DNA sequence: ACAGCCTGCGCAATCGGTTGTGCATATGAG
DNA sequence: CTCATATGCACAACCGATTGCGCAGGCTGT
């Protein structure tokens, strides 16, 4: 057990704990020689300052909170973990740790609790909702925070995939490759990301001289029954390509199509919005967008920590993407 | 911002901070009346003790660490999150929080760091490996910890799904329903859980009068190429049922089968080890095991916190399961 | 040689709690 | 009524760091 304290070091070295502390932080006026002596001692004896004590003195925790929705299981795409990994990476390089905060759509008591507890120096909001209570609460708390996703709330620092450009580009490419009547299927429209995808989708239509009314929209398809119904309707309405806002949706659609003997891409084309393992094995493979969730998480945490350190950060950062064309939209 | 401290309360109430502290914790000798007064004040003014200060005084953090493998993406089944949710739930009820510790197979420096940092009071190890370095390190550190999964290491508290019984039961049911030559496909055999599943599988064979040599084993199938090769070989070797140790594997197999025009269950039966959304839409639906990862996480955290509190806990807890028979093994 | 500044360091307060100890007062037994 | 015990509370030390301030000694400029 590492019971070594700053007092022990001070005593051993015959100097004051002030000097030790300053040697470590490099903040005060300390001679080169003394500092080296302390640092050598620390290295040799494998000392790490007690973050709790340090936290108390500085009113800091060296933790960042990550608010994750506790009720959506379809968050289980690799996306989720990769974002998490990225955040941890970024946190680690700055000597921070990541604390989980489960939250539920309509119940922000977990977040409130955390805010009262002051166990984090800042918060990353992992997903945004229309009229998001978490955001309001965070703003009002004054704690630094960044959101991953979109929001209308002014003065909020956000990191996001460039969904609009991505979806727009994907859509127009599909159209240019010959599709003419597109169907758009997505999950809960209360999630900002789905609205954004829709916007991008429409922008893609417009780039090719079409309008929203030329396409079919199936919003709020959360269950596989809803997705299958949407698929049926789309086909009956003459769609020749289905654009899915989520790989789970695409997967449901594909299973249904294969059951009904509808061939991809001959009878119907299909594209999705993530390029996850879920669709990787499909034949034909599915055209999709490729984001970099790891970097998304990384940037979010990095930006948050910069804010905590009082640095100025840009209020919006959009990350790149790639349209990965595969057999499903030939 | 909640700047209220215990001193403020003491001053306002005209009593000492000792009395306030004791009223809150209920530890010392405090009169009913005083205690009520303090608690009422606290409720009215929405006071929460500063966990950092409390931590410093008690050498506690009120955090538990969760070691999650940073390099396996196929950890992205709902399983992962549900376990996480369960842990958070349990932690919350005991006023603990969950801190993420990313670790990489061969690099336990993150864990070592955390142990030196003392930012957690205990650790949940989310996955175990053969000859697990993390476990050795944790034992040697003296910090309370529980593992989710199996281990040979003596004196380790473990929570696990009852994989052996589950796999054994699944296997024997499949055999009793008419399959005769089984193939077993799993991922990395360095993961204890895969060894355990294999053991259960063999036990199931033996219950039906067969032996391990009557079945086909394809271990360490981590990529889809390996899985497809295993599937091919299994079919060529006369297997009439494939048992997959993981839903991702089952998914790969299914995609391959449908590509090759092999019909389930007519030409080949298939069973899997989780009952995840990944296979839910498949036609026919896939026979699989149903565990309760949420409870798994819950029990792990609850047990760990009991250990932290110095309570005696049972060294092994196995959770229940259900064999969900569906069309893929008819 | 002297005032003034810079440098290197230590003293002690502070962060916000917990806890061992001691001292009144209340309670009970004999 | 007296002594022993129990009860209720406060004092002050402590957890392990950070930090404002002060002081001594060395350096500079005149």
């Amino acid at each position: 057990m590492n019971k070594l304290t700053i007092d022990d070091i001070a005593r051993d070295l015959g100097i004051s704990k002030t000097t030790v502390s300053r040697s470590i932080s490099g903040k005060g006026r300390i001679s080169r020689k003394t500092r080296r002596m302390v640092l050598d001692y620390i290295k040799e004896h494998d000392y790490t300052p007690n973050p709790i004590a340090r936290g108390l003195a500085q009113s800091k925790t060296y933790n960042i909170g990550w608010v994750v929705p506790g009720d959506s299981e379809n968050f289980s795409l690799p996306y989720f973990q990769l974002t998490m990994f990225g955040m941890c990476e970024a946190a680690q390089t700055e000597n921070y740790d990541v604390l989980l905060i489960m939250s539920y759509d309509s119940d922000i008591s977990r977040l409130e609790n955390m805010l009262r507890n002051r166990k984090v120096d800042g918060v990353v909001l992992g997903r945004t909702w229309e009229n998001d209570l978490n955001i309001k609460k965070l703003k009002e708390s004054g704690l630094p925070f960044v959101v991953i996703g979109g929001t209308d709330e002014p003065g909020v620092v956000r990191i996001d995939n460039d969904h609009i450009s991505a979806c727009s580009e994907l859509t127009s490419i599909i159209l240019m490759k010959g599709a003419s009547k597109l169907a758009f299927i997505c999950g809960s429209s209360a999630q900002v990301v789905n609205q954004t995808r829709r916007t991008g989708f429409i922008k893609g239509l417009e780039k090719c001289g079409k309008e929203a009314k030329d396409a079919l929209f199936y919003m709020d398809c959360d269950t596989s029954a809803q997705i299958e119904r949407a698929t049926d309707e789309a086909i009956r309405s003459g769609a020749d390509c289905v654009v899915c806002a989520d790989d789970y949706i695409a997967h449901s659609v594909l299973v249904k199509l294969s059951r009904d003997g509808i061939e991809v891409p001959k009878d119907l084309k299909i594209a999705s919005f993530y390029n996850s393992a879920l669709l990787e094995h499909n034949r034909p493979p599915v055209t999709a967008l490729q984001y970099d969730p790891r970097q998304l998480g990384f940037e979010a945490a990095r930006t948050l920590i910069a804010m905590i350190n009082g640095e100025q950060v840009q209020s919006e950062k959009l990350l790149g993407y790639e349209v990965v064309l595969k057999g499903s939209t030939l």
Side-chain angles (χ1 to χ4, degrees), chain A:
Chain A
M1 206 85 274
N2 186 358
K3 297 277 291 176
L4 203 58
T5 76
I6 204 172
D7 293 273
D8 299 329
I9 301 178
R11 196 176 337 99
D12 272 24
L13 255 36
I15 58 181
S16 77
K17 56 194 283 197
T18 305
T19 304
V20 177
S21 173
R22 294 212 164 106
S23 297
I24 295 172
S25 67
K27 273 184 187 166
R29 295 176 310 212
I30 297 290
S31 76
R32 233 168 225 299
K33 219 180 85 190
T34 310
R35 176 140 201 242
R36 174 126 316 277
M37 177 177 71
V38 172
L39 294 182
D40 285 350
Y41 184 99
I42 284 176
K43 180 151 290 174
E44 187 184 346
H45 293 76
D46 192 35
Y47 163 81
T48 319
N50 183 327
I52 303 291
R54 181 199 287 231
L56 182 57
Q58 298 183 142
S59 296
K60 291 195 59 172
T61 62
Y62 292 97
N63 288 151
I64 59 179
W66 180 30
V67 179
V68 321
D71 38 18
S72 46
E73 292 191 18
N74 58 351
F75 215 166
S76 57
L77 296 170
Y79 192 85
F80 176 80
Q81 281 169 70
L82 290 173
T83 306
M84 179 169 116
F85 293 166
M87 287 191 34
C88 287
E89 289 295 339
Q92 234 249 338
T93 66
E94 310 269 356
N95 262 305
Y96 274 74
D97 287 290
V98 177
L99 204 77
L100 289 176
I101 307 174
M102 306 289 308
S103 82
Y104 298 84
D105 294 359
S106 47
D107 169 20
I108 60 170
S109 65
R110 306 300 179 88
L111 178 61
E112 291 181 308
N113 248 320
M114 184 55 65
L115 295 177
R116 304 231 313 291
N117 267 343
R118 332 173 201 62
K119 277 178 88 166
V120 295
D121 299 336
V123 167
V124 174
L125 206 56
R127 173 181 287 191
T128 56
W129 300 85
E130 199 171 32
N131 225 311
D132 199 313
L133 281 180
N134 292 295
I135 294 184
K136 294 195 200 310
K137 200 77 204 172
L138 280 166
K139 280 181 79 169
E140 149 191 344
S141 82
L143 202 72
F145 73 99
V146 309
V147 308
I148 294 180
T151 176
D152 289 338
E153 205 73 38
V156 170
V157 175
R158 56 179 289 251
I159 317 286
D160 204 0
N161 292 319
D162 189 354
H163 290 295
I164 298 220
S165 304
C167 299
S168 156
E169 187 174 327
L170 174 66
T171 305
S172 56
I173 288 181
I174 291 171
L175 288 171
M176 282 159 39
K177 294 200 80 149
S180 63
K181 187 149 189 91
L182 304 191
F184 178 85
I185 307 183
C186 74
S188 167
S189 57
Q191 281 188 34
V192 176
V193 67
N194 282 329
Q195 300 174 5
T196 311
R197 285 164 176 152
R198 184 175 192 275
T199 305
F201 176 76
I202 294 176
K203 214 169 147 196
L205 292 173
E206 289 167 350
K207 255 200 297 196
C208 295
K210 294 189 180 283
E211 297 173 55
K213 69 172 176 51
D214 298 325
L216 303 159
F217 292 89
Y218 303 95
M219 313 290 286
D220 297 298
C221 294
D222 290 314
T223 67
S224 61
Q226 289 171 310
I227 296 169
E228 299 193 357
R229 198 172 328 128
T231 310
D232 267 340
E233 275 190 44
I235 293 171
R236 241 184 293 115
S237 307
D240 55 3
C241 179
V242 180
V243 177
C244 304
D246 185 296
D247 282 9
Y248 262 94
I249 294 179
H251 182 252
S252 280
V253 172
L254 284 172
V255 170
K256 179 176 175 43
L257 294 181
S258 101
R259 209 162 67 229
D260 294 352
I262 297 174
E263 272 182 52
V264 176
K266 190 167 71 68
D267 305 330
L268 187 70
K269 305 179 192 218
I270 180 167
S272 186
F273 279 7
Y274 290 99
N275 191 22
S276 76
L278 194 58
L279 306 178
E280 141 190 75
H281 308 313
N282 202 72
R283 287 301 178 280
V286 176
T287 289
L289 293 170
Q290 175 77 53
Y291 295 109
D292 188 347
R294 198 158 199 142
Q295 203 203 338
L296 193 68
F298 192 93
E299 285 297 330
R302 204 187 53 72
T303 304
L304 177 61
I305 294 172
M307 289 170 68
I308 292 170
N309 293 335
E311 296 167 30
Q312 203 61 34
V313 303
Q314 49 180 323
S315 69
E316 183 173 297
K317 174 145 195 172
L318 295 180
L319 269 56
Y321 60 91
E322 201 182 332
V323 178
V324 185
L325 291 171
K326 297 192 181 170
S328 70
T329 52
L330 278 188

